[in-house]
Amino acid sequence: LYLLFKPGGQDPRAIAGVLTNHALAVGLMNEPPSCQALSPRALELRRRLGWSVYVFTRMISISYGLPFAFPDNVMKVPLPSIMIHEYGSEEGHLYAIALQVSRHMISLRQLETRIVNAIYDPNPSTSTQDLRLQIEDWYTQGCLLSSSTLFEPDQLPFHTTITWLNVRYQNLLLLLYTPA
C-alpha cells in the first residue's frame, strides 16, 4: 500500500501480480484436504491471508483500471472469523471490531467486482438500480459500524471513519455511473 503513494518506487501492479500468482500457486484461495491437518489457528490465519490477497489485488485492479487477477468464484474459503483466544482476551471487543472492519472491506471489494462485471458484461445479471441499492446498503452498514466504534476514540479504525466511508461511497457511484 505504501508503494501506491511513493512515486518512483516499485510498481504496486507488479507486486500484486507476484502476490496473486504465489497465492494461487499455494492454494490460498481454496482449502484442499491437506488443510484439515492444520490447527484451527493456522487454518484461520491462512484464510485471513487469502482474503487479504483478495482485497489487495482487487484494490490494485480498481485503482489502475486493470482486469481482475482471478474471478470471484475462485475464492472458496470462509470469510475471516474471530478466534477463541481473541474472543476470550481482554481486548476481545477490539478483535470483534477489527473482524467487522475486515469483513466490510471484503464486501466493498466484492461490490466493486460486481459493478465492474455488470458494466463490462454485454448481458449483465444485475441492473444498475440493484447495484445502486447494494451501494446504499454497503454505506449504511459502514455507518452502523462507524457508530459502534465511537466508544473507542483512541483506537478508531480508519476504515470506519465517516470521511473514509464517504470517499468510498462516492468512488462506488463513480465506478457505477462513469466507468473509465
Side-chain angles (χ1 to χ4, degrees), residues 14-163:
I15 293 171
V18 170
L19 179 63
T20 301
N21 287 337
H22 188 68
L24 289 169
V26 299
L28 283 179
M29 307 314 177
N30 58 34
E31 290 185 6
S34 61
C35 285
Q36 299 305 319
L38 295 173
S39 69
R41 185 175 192 280
L43 184 58
E44 178 58 30
L45 291 175
R46 186 180 194 285
R47 289 172 178 166
R48 290 178 184 184
L49 182 58
W51 281 108
S52 294
V53 170
Y54 173 89
V55 166
F56 179 72
T57 59
R58 286 299 196 263
M59 182 195 67
I60 294 297
S61 293
I62 292 294
S63 297
Y64 285 96
L66 298 171
F68 299 123
F70 53 89
D72 260 8
N73 63 4
V74 168
M75 284 302 294
K76 295 183 179 172
V77 296
L79 288 170
S81 59
I82 196 164
M83 292 186 269
I84 292 172
H85 75 277
E86 294 171 338
Y87 182 76
S89 73
E90 285 185 22
E91 298 85 27
H93 67 288
L94 295 177
Y95 285 112
I97 290 171
L99 174 65
Q100 290 173 330
V101 171
S102 296
R103 285 181 166 213
H104 196 245
M105 290 295 300
I106 291 168
S107 68
L108 167 65
R109 301 308 173 198
Q110 290 172 326
L111 179 54
E112 289 172 339
T113 301
R114 286 191 299 275
I115 292 170
V116 168
N117 289 341
I119 289 168
Y120 295 107
D121 185 350
N123 300 312
S125 59
T126 309
S127 71
T128 301
Q129 184 178 4
D130 288 339
L131 289 168
R132 176 63 189 257
L133 291 173
Q134 291 176 35
I135 291 170
E136 299 299 332
D137 183 55
W138 179 85
Y139 181 75
T140 301
Q141 294 298 321
C143 290
L144 292 172
L145 183 58
S146 176
S147 64
S148 72
T149 60
L150 292 177
F151 301 109
E152 300 291 336
D154 293 341
Q155 300 181 18
L156 182 67
F158 173 71
H159 294 104
T160 63
T161 62
I162 293 299
T163 303

